Amino acid sequence: MRNHRVLRAPGGLSLRLDVRAVTVVVLLLLAALAASVVLIGTGDFPIPAGDVVRTLLGDGNAGQEFIVNELRLPRVLVGLLVGASLGLGGALFQAVTRNPLGSPDVLGLGQGATAGALVMIVLFSGSAAQVTLGALVGGLATGLAIYLLAWKRGVHGYRLVLVGIGVSAIVTAVNGYLLTVSDIVDAARALVWMTGSLNGRDWDQVWPLLALCAVLVPLVLANGRGLRMMEMGDDVSNALGVRVERVRALLMVAAVLLVATATAAAGPVGFVSLTAPQLARRLTRSPGPNLLPSLCMGAALLVTADWASQRAFGADQLPVGVVTGVLGGVYLLWLLVAERRAGRI
């Protein structure tokens, strides 16, 4: 039997807590914060973790404050917010599709955002802000196209996955064509963006991500109960008072916004949205969507991968998207083998 606690408040309100899930969330938050402190101290000018903490609290010297607050802190905050957005977006997609492979990586949202960025780079030689806007528009347009093509008196999970795979293949072909017709300078710039990287990120990327998360995360968590009930099937959920299509559409829009904005800020960082929800589920051992654990797992995964890329290959030599792509690819192969052995595919 799972260990749960019920908290009661005045007025008859009560809250049921899963102690193991709460413990996992706390440990993941501590891991993300610890990795962030270590990452801030990593670079050409290393700073001990204690000095990083003192500097963040306003007790560092002028040189440390410039390096920490102006150069490294924005990059780490972008990493935390992008990882959290991808983890939460992946959990939403997997819960709505009821499929562990139903992540934005498989459904083609990353490829759609890449197409938008490539259009701005190749056809318009756009600035960094224009490339970011193009990636955001491309991701949103791809998500809308997948949803509309999968609609038939509602959206079925497997139909959404199949349509997403088809759209992903089409958009990938378009991306290949855009690269072939671009000149060498634009192609090199596009390839750098397509790897997914936190290099050069500053406060201009932090504030939009922070504002979006401040709005969407509470909205998503508030609908978590309805999402969990939807796992029992649409008919049962409707009978229990859940407005299934409304909740599904709302959460899909939130997931697309989270993933598209994260991709616009850091490029298509691969496989975080696929692996974070599954790892969180295995740690909590909970059958539900595990929204908050997935969010925390995504943040911890991305900053840890960025730290590993710098420690293994030197600062700014290996984009974080390469590390997550390699680790995520290995995890995807393991997941496919496990699903096959279980007879689900």
Side-chain angles (χ1 to χ4, degrees):
M1 180 178 293
R2 296 187 60 82
N3 189 6
H4 293 95
R5 295 290 186 273
V6 178
L7 302 180
R8 301 189 183 278
L13 297 177
S14 63
L15 178 65
R16 183 168 173 263
L17 294 178
D18 185 330
V19 176
R20 183 182 179 91
V22 172
T23 303
V24 168
V25 167
V26 171
L27 291 177
L28 287 174
L29 284 175
L30 292 175
L33 292 175
S36 299
V37 170
V38 174
L39 181 57
I40 291 174
T42 301
D44 293 333
F45 185 81
I47 302 175
D51 290 342
V52 170
V53 174
R54 282 191 290 271
T55 302
L56 291 173
L57 295 176
D59 196 25
N61 59 46
Q64 290 174 339
E65 288 184 357
F66 175 74
I67 293 173
V68 170
N69 296 328
E70 299 300 325
L71 299 182
R72 297 180 183 173
L73 180 59
R75 171 184 178 138
V76 172
L77 289 177
V78 170
L80 289 171
L81 292 169
V82 167
S85 299
L86 293 176
L88 182 58
L92 288 172
F93 272 106
Q94 292 180 21
V96 168
T97 61
R98 303 175 198 168
N99 191 324
L101 298 177
S103 78
D105 300 301
V106 178
L107 298 181
L109 289 183
Q111 291 86 340
T114 300
L118 287 179
V119 167
M120 299 306 298
I121 294 173
V122 174
L123 301 183
F124 300 101
S125 298
S127 64
Q130 290 172 329
V131 171
T132 300
L133 178 62
L136 179 59
V137 172
L140 293 175
T142 304
L144 178 62
I146 292 172
Y147 191 85
L148 292 178
L149 290 172
W151 176 271
K152 185 179 180 181
R153 296 188 299 274
V155 176
H156 189 274
Y158 282 100
R159 186 163 61 241
L160 193 68
V161 172
L162 292 175
V163 170
I165 292 174
V167 171
S168 176
I170 294 172
V171 177
T172 300
V174 172
N175 293 343
Y177 170 76
L178 289 172
L179 286 175
T180 59
V181 300
S182 63
D183 60 47
I184 187 65
V185 175
D186 288 338
R189 182 184 173 197
L191 287 174
V192 170
W193 189 89
M194 289 170 63
T195 57
S197 174
L198 298 176
N199 297 343
R201 297 306 183 264
D202 56 28
W203 291 104
D204 290 338
Q205 284 84 35
V206 173
W207 301 122
L209 274 169
L210 186 61
L212 185 80
C213 289
V215 173
L216 291 183
V217 171
L219 178 65
V220 169
L221 296 180
N223 286 274
R225 179 174 177 272
L227 182 61
R228 184 162 188 168
M229 294 173 68
M230 285 165 56
E231 293 185 341
M232 296 184 290
D234 291 358
D235 293 337
V236 175
S237 301
N238 280 316
L240 293 175
V242 178
R243 302 179 68 174
V244 174
E245 289 304 326
R246 179 180 177 182
V247 173
R248 181 180 287 130
L250 176 65
L251 294 179
M252 285 290 291
V253 170
V256 170
L257 282 171
L258 286 167
V259 174
T261 307
T263 304
V269 180
F271 289 105
V272 173
S273 55
L274 172 68
T275 57
Q278 292 300 311
L279 293 176
R281 182 188 293 263
R282 282 164 172 74
L283 287 178
T284 62
R285 298 178 185 174
S286 172
N290 289 284
L291 298 178
L292 194 56
S294 299
L295 181 152
C296 298
M297 177 62 76
L301 275 179
L302 194 54
V303 293
T304 303
D306 193 32
W307 172 81
S309 69
Q310 293 193 38
R311 292 292 296 176
F313 297 93
D316 299 342
Q317 291 188 11
L318 186 66
V320 67
V322 176
V323 177
T324 60
V326 171
L327 297 178
V330 173
Y331 176 81
L332 177 60
L333 291 175
W334 175 85
L335 181 62
L336 290 171
V337 171
E339 292 289 303
R340 181 174 180 272
R341 289 178 176 174
R344 289 188 286 267
I345 59 175

